[in-house]
Amino acid sequence: YRLIGTQVWMTENLAYLPSVVGPATGSDTDPYYYVYGYDGTSVATAKATTNYQTYGVLYNWPAALTACPSGWHLPSDEEWTQLETYLANNGHNYDGSIGGDNFRDKIAISLASATGWNSSTDTGAIGNTNTAYDAYRNKSGFSALPGGYRYSHGSFSYVGIRGAWWSSSEYSTSYAWSRSLRYSNSSVSRNSGSKVSGFSVRCLRD
């Protein structure tokens, strides 16, 4: 784990896996757990996969709400915003600037693992290998990885390209707030994700 500002964050995707289903099974009310690329119900087999060992587990929103261990919790939308604001105000923008009108615009490379992302030539992007950005790669120690996600329509997509993480905050009956990173972007995206989707989880210390 890592102290970032006044918050203590886990630095790996949660890997808690009490059960597992294939990507075709979903619900926005019952908890479901997925391992990217695995289509089956054997926890032992799922845990033996490289994707599990690298990216952890993908959770639908009901599962994400209760997945964090004792002493930790799924961060709220406000707690994610606190993290982002802290980074932007404390030297984590890829161009050395401080703050900004949109504090999410330039901090992605500081949140992302220095390796494991597809490459990109876009300015300030996570996947941009320009040495000018080396000082900012994973500067926060958050070590975000592009674990992809389970689409609400029942398939896996985007490993190596995107990572998405739940918040505990509802957007509507069927949607909840989330955060995502993309290899070709310099910004963190704040989105409402369908509760049926399978996203990664990072826990925050109580």
Side-chain angles (χ1 to χ4, degrees):
Y1 49 85
R2 181 79 169 239
L3 177 68
I4 306 176
T6 58
Q7 299 173 308
V8 178
W9 288 86
M10 286 189 176
T11 53
E12 293 178 349
N13 288 344
L14 194 64
Y16 170 66
L17 188 66
S19 63
V20 65
V21 293
T25 303
S27 171
D28 61 5
T29 53
D30 299 323
Y32 282 113
Y33 309 83
Y34 308 91
V35 171
Y36 194 102
Y38 177 70
D39 187 4
T41 56
S42 165
V43 169
T45 305
K47 285 186 172 182
T49 64
T50 302
N51 281 339
Y52 172 83
Q53 290 158 19
T54 304
Y55 303 115
V57 172
L58 299 174
Y59 302 85
N60 72 350
W61 192 69
L65 285 176
T66 61
C68 291
S70 178
W72 299 78
H73 64 275
L74 187 67
S76 67
D77 182 46
E78 292 74 19
E79 286 170 327
W80 277 108
T81 298
Q82 182 183 333
L83 169 68
E84 295 156 342
T85 307
Y86 173 82
L87 293 178
N89 289 338
N90 287 276
H92 291 76
N93 287 346
Y94 71 79
D95 60 359
S97 63
I98 297 294
D101 290 340
N102 187 342
F103 50 86
R104 296 185 179 96
D105 275 356
K106 300 178 178 180
I107 57 171
I109 201 168
S110 165
L111 280 166
S113 168
T115 57
W117 293 80
N118 288 9
S119 59
S120 167
T121 55
D122 293 331
T123 303
I126 290 169
N128 192 321
T129 57
N130 187 327
T131 54
Y133 302 131
D134 285 357
Y136 297 99
R137 281 183 220 290
N138 202 25
K139 184 177 179 180
S140 70
F142 190 86
S143 302
L145 284 168
Y149 38 86
R150 179 211 175 248
Y151 262 128
S152 53
H153 58 66
S155 63
F156 294 118
S157 192
Y158 287 126
V159 78
I161 295 172
R162 287 184 183 172
W165 295 267
W166 283 119
S167 87
S168 61
S169 304
E170 271 190 298
Y171 174 77
S172 68
T173 308
S174 302
Y175 289 82
W177 287 109
S178 63
R179 295 297 187 277
S180 65
L181 297 173
R182 183 182 169 93
Y183 78 101
S184 56
N185 288 4
S186 64
S187 60
V188 179
S189 295
R190 175 178 179 256
N191 313 102
S192 58
S194 167
K195 293 177 182 179
V196 179
S197 301
F199 292 165
S200 300
V201 161
R202 288 299 182 97
C203 302
L204 190 58
R205 185 176 278 171
D206 294 346

